[in-house]
Amino acid sequence: MDMARRYSALPWVIPEHCEGCGCCADACPQGILSMIETSKPGAMVPWLDQVDQCTGCGMCEAACAWSAICLTGFVKKARERFIKERPDKLPESLP
């Protein structure tokens, strides 16, 4: 089975909005969303390292008070982003 087709939505992280509280990671029933450190000291963002285990349930989105993570129907792009574009640098606009 094509793993990218087993769900209709995946989380999309917006690092610029993230406060690094970890509520989204705590809400993940699969336990696969974790907070990762970025190149900015002390700055953390949520990330899926096991993207193919995500069920697209939306619990992470519901838990985020900052709208820093939302579900997207663009599953292929979201999956590729989690696999290939792990953030190692935050945008310059962040404090």
Side-chain angles (χ1 to χ4, degrees):
M1 173 171 75
D2 180 4
M3 295 301 282
R5 294 188 179 272
R6 72 182 181 126
Y7 32 66
S8 60
L10 280 176
W12 188 268
V13 177
I14 306 165
E16 296 87 354
H17 296 176
C18 185
E19 293 290 317
C21 69
C23 286
C24 57
D26 292 341
C28 178
Q30 302 297 319
I32 56 171
L33 185 65
S34 58
M35 300 301 290
I36 62 168
E37 192 166 3
T38 66
S39 62
K40 184 174 180 177
M44 306 285 284
V45 295
W47 207 252
L48 278 174
D49 283 323
Q50 301 170 30
V51 68
D52 288 330
Q53 293 182 23
C54 178
T55 63
C57 70
M59 297 299 289
C60 55
E61 178 182 37
C64 183
W66 305 102
S67 299
I69 191 165
C70 59
L71 290 184
T72 180
F74 294 100
V75 173
K76 184 177 178 183
K77 174 62 179 162
R79 185 175 183 278
E80 288 174 2
R81 184 178 184 223
F82 278 118
I83 293 170
K84 298 177 182 177
E85 299 176 26
R86 184 180 169 106
D88 58 359
K89 180 179 171 184
L90 286 176
E92 296 293 325
S93 63
L94 290 178

